[in-house]
Structures are given as C-alpha cells and as structure tokens.
Amino acid sequence: MAAVDTAQKEASAIALPGLGRALISAGKLTQKTAEDIYKKSQISRSSFIAELTGSGAVSAADLAYTVASVFGAPLLDLDAIDPMRLPKELLDAKICQAYRVVVLSKRNNRLIVATADPTDQEAAEKIKFTTQMGVDWIIAEYDKLTKLVEATSKSVSESMDTLTSGSEFEFDDVSVEEAPEAADTGVTEVEDAPIVKFLHKMLLDAFNMRASDLHFEPYEHTYRVRFRIDGELREIASPPIAIKDKLASRIKVISRLDISEKRVPQDGRMKLKVGPDRVIDFRVSTLPTLFGEKIVIRILDPSSAKLGIDALGYEPQEKERLLHAIGRPYGMILVTGPTGSGKTVSLYTCLNLLNKAGVNIATAEDPSEINLPGVNQVNVNEKAGLTFATALKSFLRQDPDIIMVGEIRDLETADIAIKAAQTGHLVLSTLHTNDAPTTLTRMRNMGIAPFNIASSVILITAQRLARRLCPACKTPADIPHEALVNAGYDENEIDGSWVTYRPVGCSACNNGYKGRVGIYQVMPISEEIQRIILRDGSALEIAEQAKLEGVRSLREAGLHKARIGLTSLEEVLAVTNE
C-alpha cells in the first residue's frame, strides 16, 4: 500500500509543470499548493504561471527573482524598456500573446527573449520552429511582461487604420456554419478583411481581459466598443461610424442570423477557436436602435460550472444548507437575483454535483449557456411553440430525477414546476426578486396557492456579485466608526480587531479589483416559515423569522465579506440594499 501511495505522489509530481517543480525545490511552494494551483489552471484553462501569480501564492517579483536564481538566467526590469524601440518583425504577435514572451533583440542567429517561465518548452520550440533561430531566455516579472506584451501587440488604433486597406486575411479561427440566408444577400460585402481582423481582435482582447460581455454601440456620429470587466463597463475602442453595418453583418453571418433583417431583435451563437483544442463560445444578441443595430456578445465559459461550490464564495454554513437541500430527493430550490448576478453558474454548479450515472437530469433554458455532458439540455423556442411550460410537460414524461427550469416567468410554468416538485422530482429554477423572503410573496402574487408554495419550496438563495479586491495592492481603509454603524455593523462588532480594505490599483488588476466574489442569502424553508406562508404572511414576517433562524440578509453577508478583506465596504453598499 505504501508503494502505491509513493507511486501516486510521484505521478502527481511528474504531472506538475517544470516551473512548479522548481518552486517546490526552492521552498517557495508546498507540493499540495502547487498541485492545487495546477488543478485550478487546468479547470480554468489558463497557464500555471497566470494562476500562480493571480492566486497570490507567490508575488510576480519574488517569482522572477527565484526563477532567475534557480536557472542562473539574467533578470531584467521591464520598466526600463521602451516598447517603441523593441523589434517588431522578428516574432509573430500571436505567439507573443499566446506564450507571454517579448523579443528584446537578436544576436547572430539567436533571439534574446523575455519570459517569466523558462521551463516552457512548448514556447521555446514554437519560437525556434517559427523563426529558425535559437532562444536565449531573459527572466522578467510576469505582470510587467503581460503589460509589455499588450503594449507591443497590434493596437486597436492600428487595427482601425487598416479598415480602409485591402489586405487579404482569412478568418478561419471561427468555427461556424454560414447562415443559409447569407447565400444571396451579398455576403461578399461582409467578408471585408479589415472588418474580420477588427472583430477577431476585439473577441480575443475581451477573452484575454477576462471580460464577460462585449457591447458594439452605434450612435448618430460615433461608434464605440465597450467591455464589461468585473461587472463594470469600460470603453475600449471608438472605430469609424462607417463600419457599423459591415461589422453587424459580419457578426450576424457567423452567428447564423438573418443579415437582411434589421427591424427586430435576433439571438444567436458563435464559436472562436483560440488553440488546437480550445474553443470559446459566444452568445450574440442584436437590438435595432435609432442609429443602427446594437450588438451584445456574451462570453460563455463552460469551466465556470466546474470550479466547485467552494470557488463561488459560499460561507461554510451557507454551503452546508445548500448541499443539504440539493441532496434531498424532491422539492424546489430557487436562485434569485438580478441579471448578471451569477444565477446560472450557481445552478450549474449544483447540477455538476448531482450529475451522476444513475441520475436523469433535464434542463429547459432560453438559451442554454453552459454545455454539461450527461445533462439533457433543451433550448426554449417560443416561435416554434416550445415554451418553458411545454418543455416541462415533456420532461415529466421522460422519467426525470432532476429538472432545471431556466426561469419561472408565468403561472403555467410555476404550476407545472410545483407539481413536479410535489411528485418526487428535485426542481431547480430562478426568479428575479430582490432577496429570498420577497421570492415567496412574488410567487403568491403570480397566483400560486400558499399551500402549494409551502409544500414544494425547500430552499431559496438570493445572490449578488461584488468585485473582489486585488490581493496585491489592497490597503487598509480608515473608515469612521459612525460610517461602519450606518453601513450595518453592530456596535459590538467594531472592536478594533479587524480592518476593512480599500482598492488602490496596480498593473495586475482593474482599478484595485480583480475578479468577483458572490454574496449569498441562503434561506431554508423551515416549518415556522411554512406556517407564515400558509397564513399568507408578508415578506417582512418571513424575513424576521429567517433572521431568528440565523439567515443573514444580503447586506449582512456582504458586510462579512468586507470584514474578512475580500471586497470593499463601498462595493458592498453598491450591490446590496438595506
């Protein structure tokens, strides 16, 4: 048995990249920490070094110094480099972006290349094969290197300068079937190479910047492109207004939409191949406005549903309540919150936990955002008569164990979902309400009888997403005692044993924030809450009872996140009501 354990440990160590093994040898990481970071990088499909520096396990400066010492390579501060003086034509910009390297100079038949990971053999071989030259590594800090790579890559303004050029370019990275409607509607017009280049760059930039959405917005005299990064919209480019129609048509062609129809909204999907085995999915929505079609593209990340419940930010007690509810054989679990609050990811995380060989799971969504193997997913199509209600009726004839309804929008859907929950099925769904207690009164207002609500709903989770403070640059905030009390902290809590933090901003984050964290109100439906529902009690009565049972409000959950330093107090106040 000991021999087996030793073999497993050795196999695990071998699976680590060279950088991970080097850091373990240098005493900068433990074996377990390195393995955990490597697993996260595999799940999120990012590089080991990006996950390593992003997690805060090792700072970029410490990492560069350690790597330079271990491998005996020179260490360079990239702040001393002028991006405009770097050689531009020695290595393709796509390779620089893909492997996070920058060519500093050429000496005889060898390239001097800045990297943060000299163990990356794939990068070395790719550079050698492409340039037919040898590679000498110079070690640089990963955050500064990333910044320099972006600065030396083709800028948005340069992309726009080529919009009137006629250079040839094949947009073969997008894996789609052309729309049948495009055959006789002048599709050659939208195969304009500069338009293709510009769209391709916007999609890749959005993915690299970890944006959730891209907005293409036409106005009377201007046109702008904005990315939503960590919940905030940021203007990225202002291309010429003249490209709006061609760009809209190109997006519609690869999304299999009707390019001749500009009077009504349309929804579609497209895929972008960014590597030999990686494809990004996008959901596309068009909307006719006064001055053209506004297009919003959402980046769909299937790996987000596989991160696990711990990555979502549930506190131990909240996690225990949720896991207990999804472990029950029947009943209804509701996830509530505004659009963009992470409801779909929460639902799919639960489905991922329930997705086993002996379980039949069916989902109805509008549309399906995350593809989960082993789950029978149905896209609602109201034009064809496939509504949530009709899908649910069909599910009940398909011998399901678990049903997920994308959203309960009307009484008919709610009635069928409740009957399914009462007849031995576990039903998961979403509603748009402000918090957990108001969800029950909202269902009552939809016309659902109180006894049906009380006998079917077993748990409600309300949630919000708050921006997470950057661990590298956050600093203690000097907030007056009175302001903390007004925010919602109890007098007894403000004892000086903890501090709140504020954002600062550095090269590794977005104005002091990096990523987002969930704020949750997890309310099980106890017998006492059932009695309040049966006597048609108000949301206030339900909230008071929930508080007595230890259920935090969204504000209280957010204040706890600020107290432990995950987010700032101003962010909590912005995303929660009190």
Side-chain angles (χ1 to χ4, degrees), residues 222-241:
T222 59
Y223 191 68
R224 71 176 177 182
V225 181
R226 295 192 291 174
F227 293 173
R228 188 176 292 279
I229 302 170
D230 292 338
E232 265 196 338
L233 277 173
R234 184 185 305 174
E235 186 167 339
I236 300 297
S238 296
I241 187 68

mmCIF file with all atom_site columns, all heavy atoms in Angstrom, residues 222-241:
data_model
loop_
_atom_site.group_PDB
_atom_site.id
_atom_site.type_symbol
_atom_site.label_atom_id
_atom_site.label_alt_id
_atom_site.label_comp_id
_atom_site.label_asym_id
_atom_site.label_entity_id
_atom_site.label_seq_id
_atom_site.pdbx_PDB_ins_code
_atom_site.Cartn_x
_atom_site.Cartn_y
_atom_site.Cartn_z
_atom_site.occupancy
_atom_site.B_iso_or_equiv
_atom_site.pdbx_formal_charge
_atom_site.auth_seq_id
_atom_site.auth_comp_id
_atom_site.auth_asym_id
_atom_site.auth_atom_id
_atom_site.pdbx_PDB_model_num
ATOM 1   N N   . THR A 1 222 ? -20.985 58.725 -33.751 1.00 0.00 ? 222 THR A N   1
ATOM 2   C CA  . THR A 1 222 ? -19.879 57.944 -33.185 1.00 0.00 ? 222 THR A CA  1
ATOM 3   C C   . THR A 1 222 ? -20.261 56.467 -33.077 1.00 0.00 ? 222 THR A C   1
ATOM 4   O O   . THR A 1 222 ? -21.433 56.108 -33.173 1.00 0.00 ? 222 THR A O   1
ATOM 5   C CB  . THR A 1 222 ? -19.502 58.450 -31.776 1.00 0.00 ? 222 THR A CB  1
ATOM 6   O OG1 . THR A 1 222 ? -20.656 58.353 -30.925 1.00 0.00 ? 222 THR A OG1 1
ATOM 7   C CG2 . THR A 1 222 ? -18.989 59.867 -31.814 1.00 0.00 ? 222 THR A CG2 1
ATOM 8   N N   . TYR A 1 223 ? -19.243 55.674 -32.869 1.00 0.00 ? 223 TYR A N   1
ATOM 9   C CA  . TYR A 1 223 ? -19.430 54.241 -32.675 1.00 0.00 ? 223 TYR A CA  1
ATOM 10  C C   . TYR A 1 223 ? -18.446 53.817 -31.591 1.00 0.00 ? 223 TYR A C   1
ATOM 11  O O   . TYR A 1 223 ? -17.282 54.243 -31.606 1.00 0.00 ? 223 TYR A O   1
ATOM 12  C CB  . TYR A 1 223 ? -19.130 53.495 -33.982 1.00 0.00 ? 223 TYR A CB  1
ATOM 13  C CG  . TYR A 1 223 ? -19.528 52.032 -34.001 1.00 0.00 ? 223 TYR A CG  1
ATOM 14  C CD1 . TYR A 1 223 ? -20.866 51.671 -33.970 1.00 0.00 ? 223 TYR A CD1 1
ATOM 15  C CD2 . TYR A 1 223 ? -18.577 51.017 -34.065 1.00 0.00 ? 223 TYR A CD2 1
ATOM 16  C CE1 . TYR A 1 223 ? -21.250 50.334 -34.002 1.00 0.00 ? 223 TYR A CE1 1
ATOM 17  C CE2 . TYR A 1 223 ? -18.946 49.681 -34.100 1.00 0.00 ? 223 TYR A CE2 1
ATOM 18  C CZ  . TYR A 1 223 ? -20.281 49.344 -34.066 1.00 0.00 ? 223 TYR A CZ  1
ATOM 19  O OH  . TYR A 1 223 ? -20.662 48.028 -34.088 1.00 0.00 ? 223 TYR A OH  1
ATOM 20  N N   . ARG A 1 224 ? -18.889 53.043 -30.628 1.00 0.00 ? 224 ARG A N   1
ATOM 21  C CA  . ARG A 1 224 ? -17.972 52.650 -29.564 1.00 0.00 ? 224 ARG A CA  1
ATOM 22  C C   . ARG A 1 224 ? -18.100 51.172 -29.237 1.00 0.00 ? 224 ARG A C   1
ATOM 23  O O   . ARG A 1 224 ? -19.156 50.559 -29.421 1.00 0.00 ? 224 ARG A O   1
ATOM 24  C CB  . ARG A 1 224 ? -18.175 53.496 -28.310 1.00 0.00 ? 224 ARG A CB  1
ATOM 25  C CG  . ARG A 1 224 ? -19.453 53.211 -27.553 1.00 0.00 ? 224 ARG A CG  1
ATOM 26  C CD  . ARG A 1 224 ? -19.528 54.040 -26.268 1.00 0.00 ? 224 ARG A CD  1
ATOM 27  N NE  . ARG A 1 224 ? -20.799 53.822 -25.573 1.00 0.00 ? 224 ARG A NE  1
ATOM 28  C CZ  . ARG A 1 224 ? -21.153 54.436 -24.456 1.00 0.00 ? 224 ARG A CZ  1
ATOM 29  N NH1 . ARG A 1 224 ? -20.339 55.318 -23.905 1.00 0.00 ? 224 ARG A NH1 1
ATOM 30  N NH2 . ARG A 1 224 ? -22.319 54.177 -23.877 1.00 0.00 ? 224 ARG A NH2 1
ATOM 31  N N   . VAL A 1 225 ? -16.999 50.635 -28.719 1.00 0.00 ? 225 VAL A N   1
ATOM 32  C CA  . VAL A 1 225 ? -16.958 49.244 -28.257 1.00 0.00 ? 225 VAL A CA  1
ATOM 33  C C   . VAL A 1 225 ? -16.609 49.273 -26.775 1.00 0.00 ? 225 VAL A C   1
ATOM 34  O O   . VAL A 1 225 ? -15.629 49.902 -26.369 1.00 0.00 ? 225 VAL A O   1
ATOM 35  C CB  . VAL A 1 225 ? -15.895 48.426 -29.020 1.00 0.00 ? 225 VAL A CB  1
ATOM 36  C CG1 . VAL A 1 225 ? -15.892 46.980 -28.538 1.00 0.00 ? 225 VAL A CG1 1
ATOM 37  C CG2 . VAL A 1 225 ? -16.151 48.482 -30.517 1.00 0.00 ? 225 VAL A CG2 1
ATOM 38  N N   . ARG A 1 226 ? -17.435 48.610 -25.961 1.00 0.00 ? 226 ARG A N   1
ATOM 39  C CA  . ARG A 1 226 ? -17.177 48.557 -24.522 1.00 0.00 ? 226 ARG A CA  1
ATOM 40  C C   . ARG A 1 226 ? -17.133 47.105 -24.067 1.00 0.00 ? 226 ARG A C   1
ATOM 41  O O   . ARG A 1 226 ? -17.861 46.259 -24.580 1.00 0.00 ? 226 ARG A O   1
ATOM 42  C CB  . ARG A 1 226 ? -18.264 49.314 -23.733 1.00 0.00 ? 226 ARG A CB  1
ATOM 43  C CG  . ARG A 1 226 ? -18.284 50.799 -23.998 1.00 0.00 ? 226 ARG A CG  1
ATOM 44  C CD  . ARG A 1 226 ? -19.160 51.545 -22.993 1.00 0.00 ? 226 ARG A CD  1
ATOM 45  N NE  . ARG A 1 226 ? -20.570 51.258 -23.162 1.00 0.00 ? 226 ARG A NE  1
ATOM 46  C CZ  . ARG A 1 226 ? -21.527 51.699 -22.343 1.00 0.00 ? 226 ARG A CZ  1
ATOM 47  N NH1 . ARG A 1 226 ? -21.212 52.428 -21.279 1.00 0.00 ? 226 ARG A NH1 1
ATOM 48  N NH2 . ARG A 1 226 ? -22.791 51.404 -22.570 1.00 0.00 ? 226 ARG A NH2 1
ATOM 49  N N   . PHE A 1 227 ? -16.268 46.833 -23.085 1.00 0.00 ? 227 PHE A N   1
ATOM 50  C CA  . PHE A 1 227 ? -16.184 45.510 -22.458 1.00 0.00 ? 227 PHE A CA  1
ATOM 51  C C   . PHE A 1 227 ? -16.691 45.635 -21.020 1.00 0.00 ? 227 PHE A C   1
ATOM 52  O O   . PHE A 1 227 ? -16.425 46.628 -20.349 1.00 0.00 ? 227 PHE A O   1
ATOM 53  C CB  . PHE A 1 227 ? -14.735 45.005 -22.393 1.00 0.00 ? 227 PHE A CB  1
ATOM 54  C CG  . PHE A 1 227 ? -14.096 44.706 -23.722 1.00 0.00 ? 227 PHE A CG  1
ATOM 55  C CD1 . PHE A 1 227 ? -12.741 44.375 -23.790 1.00 0.00 ? 227 PHE A CD1 1
ATOM 56  C CD2 . PHE A 1 227 ? -14.819 44.753 -24.911 1.00 0.00 ? 227 PHE A CD2 1
ATOM 57  C CE1 . PHE A 1 227 ? -12.132 44.097 -24.992 1.00 0.00 ? 227 PHE A CE1 1
ATOM 58  C CE2 . PHE A 1 227 ? -14.222 44.483 -26.132 1.00 0.00 ? 227 PHE A CE2 1
ATOM 59  C CZ  . PHE A 1 227 ? -12.864 44.158 -26.170 1.00 0.00 ? 227 PHE A CZ  1
ATOM 60  N N   . ARG A 1 228 ? -17.415 44.604 -20.563 1.00 0.00 ? 228 ARG A N   1
ATOM 61  C CA  . ARG A 1 228 ? -17.774 44.545 -19.145 1.00 0.00 ? 228 ARG A CA  1
ATOM 62  C C   . ARG A 1 228 ? -16.744 43.666 -18.439 1.00 0.00 ? 228 ARG A C   1
ATOM 63  O O   . ARG A 1 228 ? -16.687 42.464 -18.643 1.00 0.00 ? 228 ARG A O   1
ATOM 64  C CB  . ARG A 1 228 ? -19.182 43.982 -18.955 1.00 0.00 ? 228 ARG A CB  1
ATOM 65  C CG  . ARG A 1 228 ? -19.660 44.089 -17.489 1.00 0.00 ? 228 ARG A CG  1
ATOM 66  C CD  . ARG A 1 228 ? -21.090 43.622 -17.321 1.00 0.00 ? 228 ARG A CD  1
ATOM 67  N NE  . ARG A 1 228 ? -22.059 44.486 -17.948 1.00 0.00 ? 228 ARG A NE  1
ATOM 68  C CZ  . ARG A 1 228 ? -22.523 45.624 -17.428 1.00 0.00 ? 228 ARG A CZ  1
ATOM 69  N NH1 . ARG A 1 228 ? -22.056 46.043 -16.262 1.00 0.00 ? 228 ARG A NH1 1
ATOM 70  N NH2 . ARG A 1 228 ? -23.413 46.342 -18.075 1.00 0.00 ? 228 ARG A NH2 1
ATOM 71  N N   . ILE A 1 229 ? -15.929 44.313 -17.611 1.00 0.00 ? 229 ILE A N   1
ATOM 72  C CA  . ILE A 1 229 ? -14.853 43.627 -16.901 1.00 0.00 ? 229 ILE A CA  1
ATOM 73  C C   . ILE A 1 229 ? -15.122 43.733 -15.406 1.00 0.00 ? 229 ILE A C   1
ATOM 74  O O   . ILE A 1 229 ? -15.262 44.841 -14.872 1.00 0.00 ? 229 ILE A O   1
ATOM 75  C CB  . ILE A 1 229 ? -13.480 44.240 -17.248 1.00 0.00 ? 229 ILE A CB  1
ATOM 76  C CG1 . ILE A 1 229 ? -13.236 44.170 -18.768 1.00 0.00 ? 229 ILE A CG1 1
ATOM 77  C CG2 . ILE A 1 229 ? -12.362 43.518 -16.507 1.00 0.00 ? 229 ILE A CG2 1
ATOM 78  C CD1 . ILE A 1 229 ? -12.037 44.950 -19.228 1.00 0.00 ? 229 ILE A CD1 1
ATOM 79  N N   . ASP A 1 230 ? -15.224 42.596 -14.740 1.00 0.00 ? 230 ASP A N   1
ATOM 80  C CA  . ASP A 1 230 ? -15.542 42.550 -13.307 1.00 0.00 ? 230 ASP A CA  1
ATOM 81  C C   . ASP A 1 230 ? -16.794 43.356 -12.986 1.00 0.00 ? 230 ASP A C   1
ATOM 82  O O   . ASP A 1 230 ? -16.856 44.076 -11.983 1.00 0.00 ? 230 ASP A O   1
ATOM 83  C CB  . ASP A 1 230 ? -14.357 43.061 -12.476 1.00 0.00 ? 230 ASP A CB  1
ATOM 84  C CG  . ASP A 1 230 ? -13.166 42.130 -12.533 1.00 0.00 ? 230 ASP A CG  1
ATOM 85  O OD1 . ASP A 1 230 ? -13.369 40.940 -12.843 1.00 0.00 ? 230 ASP A OD1 1
ATOM 86  O OD2 . ASP A 1 230 ? -12.036 42.588 -12.283 1.00 0.00 ? 230 ASP A OD2 1
ATOM 87  N N   . GLY A 1 231 ? -17.793 43.270 -13.875 1.00 0.00 ? 231 GLY A N   1
ATOM 88  C CA  . GLY A 1 231 ? -19.071 43.919 -13.617 1.00 0.00 ? 231 GLY A CA  1
ATOM 89  C C   . GLY A 1 231 ? -19.157 45.367 -14.060 1.00 0.00 ? 231 GLY A C   1
ATOM 90  O O   . GLY A 1 231 ? -20.232 45.963 -14.014 1.00 0.00 ? 231 GLY A O   1
ATOM 91  N N   . GLU A 1 232 ? -18.044 45.971 -14.503 1.00 0.00 ? 232 GLU A N   1
ATOM 92  C CA  . GLU A 1 232 ? -18.045 47.378 -14.902 1.00 0.00 ? 232 GLU A CA  1
ATOM 93  C C   . GLU A 1 232 ? -17.813 47.502 -16.404 1.00 0.00 ? 232 GLU A C   1
ATOM 94  O O   . GLU A 1 232 ? -16.935 46.855 -16.968 1.00 0.00 ? 232 GLU A O   1
ATOM 95  C CB  . GLU A 1 232 ? -16.932 48.147 -14.171 1.00 0.00 ? 232 GLU A CB  1
ATOM 96  C CG  . GLU A 1 232 ? -17.391 48.834 -12.914 1.00 0.00 ? 232 GLU A CG  1
ATOM 97  C CD  . GLU A 1 232 ? -16.380 49.883 -12.461 1.00 0.00 ? 232 GLU A CD  1
ATOM 98  O OE1 . GLU A 1 232 ? -15.202 49.795 -12.833 1.00 0.00 ? 232 GLU A OE1 1
ATOM 99  O OE2 . GLU A 1 232 ? -16.784 50.781 -11.731 1.00 0.00 ? 232 GLU A OE2 1
ATOM 100 N N   . LEU A 1 233 ? -18.601 48.375 -17.056 1.00 0.00 ? 233 LEU A N   1
ATOM 101 C CA  . LEU A 1 233 ? -18.398 48.625 -18.481 1.00 0.00 ? 233 LEU A CA  1
ATOM 102 C C   . LEU A 1 233 ? -17.240 49.593 -18.679 1.00 0.00 ? 233 LEU A C   1
ATOM 103 O O   . LEU A 1 233 ? -17.164 50.629 -18.010 1.00 0.00 ? 233 LEU A O   1
ATOM 104 C CB  . LEU A 1 233 ? -19.670 49.198 -19.112 1.00 0.00 ? 233 LEU A CB  1
ATOM 105 C CG  . LEU A 1 233 ? -20.740 48.193 -19.522 1.00 0.00 ? 233 LEU A CG  1
ATOM 106 C CD1 . LEU A 1 233 ? -21.995 48.900 -19.967 1.00 0.00 ? 233 LEU A CD1 1
ATOM 107 C CD2 . LEU A 1 233 ? -20.231 47.282 -20.638 1.00 0.00 ? 233 LEU A CD2 1
ATOM 108 N N   . ARG A 1 234 ? -16.354 49.256 -19.618 1.00 0.00 ? 234 ARG A N   1
ATOM 109 C CA  . ARG A 1 234 ? -15.202 50.105 -19.889 1.00 0.00 ? 234 ARG A CA  1
ATOM 110 C C   . ARG A 1 234 ? -15.068 50.305 -21.392 1.00 0.00 ? 234 ARG A C   1
ATOM 111 O O   . ARG A 1 234 ? -15.090 49.346 -22.163 1.00 0.00 ? 234 ARG A O   1
ATOM 112 C CB  . ARG A 1 234 ? -13.938 49.438 -19.342 1.00 0.00 ? 234 ARG A CB  1
ATOM 113 C CG  . ARG A 1 234 ? -12.685 50.294 -19.494 1.00 0.00 ? 234 ARG A CG  1
ATOM 114 C CD  . ARG A 1 234 ? -11.461 49.540 -19.054 1.00 0.00 ? 234 ARG A CD  1
ATOM 115 N NE  . ARG A 1 234 ? -11.595 49.041 -17.695 1.00 0.00 ? 234 ARG A NE  1
ATOM 116 C CZ  . ARG A 1 234 ? -10.686 48.255 -17.138 1.00 0.00 ? 234 ARG A CZ  1
ATOM 117 N NH1 . ARG A 1 234 ? -9.621  47.882 -17.806 1.00 0.00 ? 234 ARG A NH1 1
ATOM 118 N NH2 . ARG A 1 234 ? -10.850 47.846 -15.893 1.00 0.00 ? 234 ARG A NH2 1
ATOM 119 N N   . GLU A 1 235 ? -14.936 51.560 -21.839 1.00 0.00 ? 235 GLU A N   1
ATOM 120 C CA  . GLU A 1 235 ? -14.802 51.837 -23.269 1.00 0.00 ? 235 GLU A CA  1
ATOM 121 C C   . GLU A 1 235 ? -13.426 51.403 -23.738 1.00 0.00 ? 235 GLU A C   1
ATOM 122 O O   . GLU A 1 235 ? -12.400 51.769 -23.167 1.00 0.00 ? 235 GLU A O   1
ATOM 123 C CB  . GLU A 1 235 ? -15.023 53.323 -23.548 1.00 0.00 ? 235 GLU A CB  1
ATOM 124 C CG  . GLU A 1 235 ? -15.045 53.624 -25.038 1.00 0.00 ? 235 GLU A CG  1
ATOM 125 C CD  . GLU A 1 235 ? -15.576 55.009 -25.371 1.00 0.00 ? 235 GLU A CD  1
ATOM 126 O OE1 . GLU A 1 235 ? -16.295 55.594 -24.530 1.00 0.00 ? 235 GLU A OE1 1
ATOM 127 O OE2 . GLU A 1 235 ? -15.283 55.486 -26.471 1.00 0.00 ? 235 GLU A OE2 1
ATOM 128 N N   . ILE A 1 236 ? -13.407 50.605 -24.814 1.00 0.00 ? 236 ILE A N   1
ATOM 129 C CA  . ILE A 1 236 ? -12.160 50.035 -25.315 1.00 0.00 ? 236 ILE A CA  1
ATOM 130 C C   . ILE A 1 236 ? -11.742 50.677 -26.634 1.00 0.00 ? 236 ILE A C   1
ATOM 131 O O   . ILE A 1 236 ? -10.562 50.929 -26.863 1.00 0.00 ? 236 ILE A O   1
ATOM 132 C CB  . ILE A 1 236 ? -12.309 48.506 -25.511 1.00 0.00 ? 236 ILE A CB  1
ATOM 133 C CG1 . ILE A 1 236 ? -12.645 47.832 -24.177 1.00 0.00 ? 236 ILE A CG1 1
ATOM 134 C CG2 . ILE A 1 236 ? -11.061 47.902 -26.125 1.00 0.00 ? 236 ILE A CG2 1
ATOM 135 C CD1 . ILE A 1 236 ? -11.570 47.961 -23.110 1.00 0.00 ? 236 ILE A CD1 1
ATOM 136 N N   . ALA A 1 237 ? -12.699 50.942 -27.512 1.00 0.00 ? 237 ALA A N   1
ATOM 137 C CA  . ALA A 1 237 ? -12.359 51.462 -28.839 1.00 0.00 ? 237 ALA A CA  1
ATOM 138 C C   . ALA A 1 237 ? -13.483 52.337 -29.374 1.00 0.00 ? 237 ALA A C   1
ATOM 139 O O   . ALA A 1 237 ? -14.644 52.192 -28.984 1.00 0.00 ? 237 ALA A O   1
ATOM 140 C CB  . ALA A 1 237 ? -12.083 50.305 -29.805 1.00 0.00 ? 237 ALA A CB  1
ATOM 141 N N   . SER A 1 238 ? -13.106 53.240 -30.290 1.00 0.00 ? 238 SER A N   1
ATOM 142 C CA  . SER A 1 238 ? -14.091 54.081 -30.990 1.00 0.00 ? 238 SER A CA  1
ATOM 143 C C   . SER A 1 238 ? -13.803 54.004 -32.483 1.00 0.00 ? 238 SER A C   1
ATOM 144 O O   . SER A 1 238 ? -13.191 54.909 -33.064 1.00 0.00 ? 238 SER A O   1
ATOM 145 C CB  . SER A 1 238 ? -14.005 55.535 -30.511 1.00 0.00 ? 238 SER A CB  1
ATOM 146 O OG  . SER A 1 238 ? -14.335 55.640 -29.157 1.00 0.00 ? 238 SER A OG  1
ATOM 147 N N   . PRO A 1 239 ? -14.191 52.897 -33.131 1.00 0.00 ? 239 PRO A N   1
ATOM 148 C CA  . PRO A 1 239 ? -13.916 52.750 -34.570 1.00 0.00 ? 239 PRO A CA  1
ATOM 149 C C   . PRO A 1 239 ? -14.755 53.720 -35.396 1.00 0.00 ? 239 PRO A C   1
ATOM 150 O O   . PRO A 1 239 ? -15.707 54.318 -34.881 1.00 0.00 ? 239 PRO A O   1
ATOM 151 C CB  . PRO A 1 239 ? -14.314 51.303 -34.852 1.00 0.00 ? 239 PRO A CB  1
ATOM 152 C CG  . PRO A 1 239 ? -15.289 50.955 -33.782 1.00 0.00 ? 239 PRO A CG  1
ATOM 153 C CD  . PRO A 1 239 ? -14.901 51.744 -32.580 1.00 0.00 ? 239 PRO A CD  1
ATOM 154 N N   . PRO A 1 240 ? -14.436 53.888 -36.670 1.00 0.00 ? 240 PRO A N   1
ATOM 155 C CA  . PRO A 1 240 ? -15.211 54.799 -37.522 1.00 0.00 ? 240 PRO A CA  1
ATOM 156 C C   . PRO A 1 240 ? -16.670 54.367 -37.614 1.00 0.00 ? 240 PRO A C   1
ATOM 157 O O   . PRO A 1 240 ? -16.976 53.180 -37.684 1.00 0.00 ? 240 PRO A O   1
ATOM 158 C CB  . PRO A 1 240 ? -14.516 54.678 -38.879 1.00 0.00 ? 240 PRO A CB  1
ATOM 159 C CG  . PRO A 1 240 ? -13.160 54.137 -38.583 1.00 0.00 ? 240 PRO A CG  1
ATOM 160 C CD  . PRO A 1 240 ? -13.290 53.292 -37.372 1.00 0.00 ? 240 PRO A CD  1
ATOM 161 N N   . ILE A 1 241 ? -17.569 55.338 -37.623 1.00 0.00 ? 241 ILE A N   1
ATOM 162 C CA  . ILE A 1 241 ? -19.001 55.051 -37.703 1.00 0.00 ? 241 ILE A CA  1
ATOM 163 C C   . ILE A 1 241 ? -19.351 54.313 -38.993 1.00 0.00 ? 241 ILE A C   1
ATOM 164 O O   . ILE A 1 241 ? -20.326 53.564 -39.047 1.00 0.00 ? 241 ILE A O   1
ATOM 165 C CB  . ILE A 1 241 ? -19.809 56.376 -37.591 1.00 0.00 ? 241 ILE A CB  1
ATOM 166 C CG1 . ILE A 1 241 ? -21.321 56.105 -37.495 1.00 0.00 ? 241 ILE A CG1 1
ATOM 167 C CG2 . ILE A 1 241 ? -19.496 57.293 -38.748 1.00 0.00 ? 241 ILE A CG2 1
ATOM 168 C CD1 . ILE A 1 241 ? -21.746 55.452 -36.222 1.00 0.00 ? 241 ILE A CD1 1
#
